[in-house]
């Protein structure tokens, strides 16, 4: 499951606790009974030595994770200012939360390059519908991402050389796959619709125009998705997929 978040992670010690709640059929300890069934001589009575029979092992559902409510997101947004350090911590906490839930894969972001988090991850043992993955992602995102990235990128200044640096990052990524396609990347490619140039999505949806082969198109597309930022691994290793989802 590849998930880039707007084109726009977990410091040591972040803990997610896997919990189970087992409910017995008879939980009352009240000895007052209005009716009581007393076995007669013909009723077989089963006597079980509880110490001799180990309890049946019960596994927690795939992706079940309880995130301590630390108030992290409200704390970051309380002063209406999100710093680069706070955004980095939010990303790391989110990635750590996914890893604690049993997920793993690869991610990319570069705050200095104004490239937000893109993740490509899987949750081993999830069903074919991805229900456990969605539940895990939602819990971790709400706890550690919230609106932090949107707030940061909406207020951070755009350096004059940013467009050129983003272009060079994309070209370097594509060049490692197909140098011929890299030479066709527009010089004025941009991730910002308010800036003059060729918007990155216009190029990404028609890679054949650049000469990309069907075999390389998926990985080249991911170069544009993450603006060329190199992948890094997290959590339990899993094979890469062909799509990516930016975070929010």
């Amino acid at each position: 499951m590849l998930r880039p978040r707007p084109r726009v992670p977990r410091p040591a010690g972040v803990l997610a606790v896997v919990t189970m709640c087992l409910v017995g059929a008879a939980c009352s300890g009240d000895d007052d009974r209005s009716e009581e069934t007393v076995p007669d001589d013909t009723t077989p009575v089963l006597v079980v030595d509880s110490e001799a029979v180990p309890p049946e092992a019960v596994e927690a559902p795939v992706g079940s994770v309880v995130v301590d409510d630390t108030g992290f997101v409200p704390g970051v947004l309380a002063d209406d200012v999100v710093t680069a350090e706070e955004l980095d911590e939010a990303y790391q906490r989110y990635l750590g939360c996914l890893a604690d839930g049993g997920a793993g894969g690869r991610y990319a972001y570069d705050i200095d390059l104004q490239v937000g988090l893109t993740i490509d991850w899987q949750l081993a043992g999830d069903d074919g519908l991805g229900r456990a993955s969605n539940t895990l992602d939602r819990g971790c995102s709400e706890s550690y991402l919230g609106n932090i990235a949107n707030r940061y990128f909406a207020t951070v200044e755009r350096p004059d050389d940013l467009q050129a640096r983003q272009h060079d990052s994309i070209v370097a990524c594509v060049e490692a796959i197909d140098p011929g396609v890299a030479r066709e990347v527009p010089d004025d490619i941009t991730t910002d619709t308010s800036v003059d140039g060729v918007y990155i999505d216009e190029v990404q949806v028609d890679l054949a125009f650049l000469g990309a082969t069907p075999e390389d198109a998926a990985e080249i597309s991911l170069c544009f998705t993450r603006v060329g930022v190199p992948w890094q691994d997290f959590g339990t290793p899993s094979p890469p997929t062909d799509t990516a989802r930016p975070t929010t």
Side-chain angles (χ1 to χ4, degrees), residues 18-53:
V18 178
T19 61
M20 291 181 295
C21 182
L22 305 181
V23 181
C27 299
S28 172
D30 191 350
D31 288 333
D32 253 345
R33 298 180 178 85
S34 56
E35 289 186 6
E36 219 175 326
T37 302
V38 180
D40 57 24
D41 293 340
T42 64
T43 304
V45 179
L46 177 64
V47 179
V48 178
D49 181 355
S50 59
E51 294 184 359
V53 181

Side-chain angles (χ1 to χ4, degrees), residues 36-117:
E36 219 175 326
T37 302
V38 180
D40 57 24
D41 293 340
T42 64
T43 304
V45 179
L46 177 64
V47 179
V48 178
D49 181 355
S50 59
E51 294 184 359
V53 181
E56 182 180 355
V58 180
E59 294 185 0
V62 173
S64 60
V65 58
V66 175
V67 182
D68 291 337
D69 183 12
T70 60
F72 175 74
V73 172
V76 170
L77 298 177
D79 59 0
D80 293 324
V81 175
V82 176
T83 66
E85 291 76 16
E86 288 172 328
L87 178 58
D88 181 68
E89 183 177 0
Y91 283 158
Q92 290 296 330
R93 283 176 178 260
Y94 167 74
L95 290 168
C97 178
L98 292 181
D100 286 339
R106 55 185 183 171
Y107 72 93
Y109 71 89
D110 187 326
I111 296 174
D112 182 59
L113 201 59
Q114 296 194 13
V115 178
L117 177 64

